[in-house]
Amino acid sequence: MRRHIHHSVAVIAALTTLTGGLLGAAGTEAEAATTGPAATRYADDFNGDGYHDLAIGAPNSAVNVTGTDGVTTSVYSAGYVTVSYGGKYGAQKTGLKVITQNSPGIPGDATKDRRFGEVLTHGDFNGDGYADLAVGGRNKSVTLVWGSATGLNGATAVADPRNAPGFGVVLKSGDFTGDGRADLVVGYSTALYLFRGPFKADGTPVSSQRLDLGRQYPVFGEQEAQNRIAVGRINKGAIDDLVVLGERTDFGKGEATRGRVLLGGSSGLRFTPVTIRGGSSVAVADFDKDGYGDIAVGDPEIQIDTIRSAGLVRVSFGSATGVNEARGFQTFTEDTPGIPGGVGTADRFGQSLAAADLNLDGYPELIIGAPGERKANCGWGCDITGGGLYVLKGTAKGVTGTGATWYAHNAAGLPAPAGTFRIPSLLKTTDLNNDKQPELTFAVAATVPQVWSVGTKDGKVAGTAPTRVVNPPTDSQVTTGTEFGILPR
């Protein structure tokens, strides 16, 4: 009997590569993971071989569709998803296959601007012991692609019980009820719903309920909405909780309003009066190792003095009720003592956040993306190479700037793509080769976009630890596009 997958607490995600057939077994390449026996313990192990996998979306890629008349048409921004299966060598680099809404067994149609793959999350949604992939886009649809011993194989559409705008603009998975089953939070344009698992083969959940946020949840963009929500265990329980950041006023450009912490329980996610400062990115981890999940919020748009879009990160401490307001919060900028460099225009410090114990001391580090950090000061829209990430240590007193390290786009051990490129706008942590040492995975905005899986060792990034570069798959069904690199959140 297969063992059920439990949702991972850490902010760890994995990108997976489709190999062999449409969604076949991890490929013919020697480095790819082979199909294993029995159960997996990971919510992103699509083929049950005991390795994390990595799903990657490319929503603005065109899909080439051949009609009944034999004429092939390139359908703009139809979008696709691919998977890089983990294995003993890390992220699979070649043999990637594409999943589109024109692929056999995938419901729907590849049509213009549907942006299939713009929103991704994973979990064992049907309770069979294999991780599944939930895919959203801009076509009011949520697709569940099923895991199996041969990888992702077959799919179904989730019915929209409201028939309301924006269905699928947010997808988050976790065990929010404590029954050992993976549930799915689904976003609409102005609301969030909890779909309780397990899902039936036809995509029907056990039940659905609207989440009480104390206000509407307006969406100004799919990825912005997805990045403003995080899953973690905040109040020391064995049930997943949800952090929902406040939206920005003025169509996503104004000041961020306060967000909410929803605590899981047997009846589902419940409203709490706890609020946190808003922003554009969020991660949950127990930075001070007191048993409560702490909440890091990045606000890359914030202006510091006269410096526009300099960015900052605030860390609130977890408690039994959600947030320990008596402890206040920690604030970090590029001017914080111990953090290298200084604030600059459009550095966008806090654009993306992740957490993992990189030095294996039991305290997670906070990883902060700053894709605008660069020597040239010419504003956000410059077509120049730059960006990088900061690593701040966790301690018994929380996150500290002391001993923080900076890794630029050209740090030792990192690749150097042709043309201009910038890192990172989306940032994840995972362990694709099961060596118990996390890797950092992120999208690289380049002439030909890439995803890097950057190794870490002794708390240091790259250097002696190898980097695996995942390039877009070579497939006549699709064009490359510029947004290859959407990661599950």
Side-chain angles (χ1 to χ4, degrees), residues 80 101 173 208 226 245 256 325 364 366 393 407-408 436 455 457:
Y80 72 87
Q101 288 190 291
S173 65
S208 64
Q226 182 78 346
L245 298 187
E325 296 183 347
L366 176 61
K393 294 181 179 179
Y407 298 93
K436 311 306 179 185
K457 186 175 182 180

Side-chain angles (χ1 to χ4, degrees), residues 11-83:
V11 281
I12 295 178
L15 300 168
T16 11
T17 305
L18 298 171
T19 57
L22 168 62
L23 305 167
T28 56
E29 186 184 17
E31 68 179 9
T34 56
T35 301
T40 176
R41 61 188 181 277
Y42 300 131
D44 51 10
D45 180 5
F46 301 120
N47 59 2
D49 66 352
Y51 288 95
H52 294 279
D53 301 318
L54 196 60
I56 308 172
N60 79 333
S61 295
V63 175
N64 300 318
V65 177
T66 301
T68 55
D69 57 1
V71 176
T72 299
T73 303
S74 186
V75 182
Y76 177 77
S77 288
Y80 72 87
V81 175
T82 189
V83 183

Side-chain angles (χ1 to χ4, degrees), residues 199-218:
F199 287 75
K200 297 179 181 179
D202 63 359
T204 303
V206 170
S207 62
S208 64
Q209 66 180 99
R210 180 168 181 159
L211 299 181
D212 183 3
L213 302 175
R215 62 165 69 96
Q216 288 187 335
Y217 183 71

Side-chain angles (χ1 to χ4, degrees), residues 388-406:
L389 56 93
Y390 294 88
V391 176
L392 279 60
K393 294 181 179 179
T395 72
K397 295 183 178 180
V399 178
T400 179
T402 302
T405 49
W406 158 253

Side-chain angles (χ1 to χ4, degrees), residues 112-138:
K112 181 179 178 181
D113 294 328
R114 282 201 165 177
R115 297 181 62 83
F116 183 76
E118 185 159 36
V119 183
L120 302 172
T121 196
H122 38 55
D124 183 11
F125 298 119
N126 60 1
D128 68 350
Y130 295 97
D132 311 306
L133 183 66
V135 185
R138 291 186 182 174

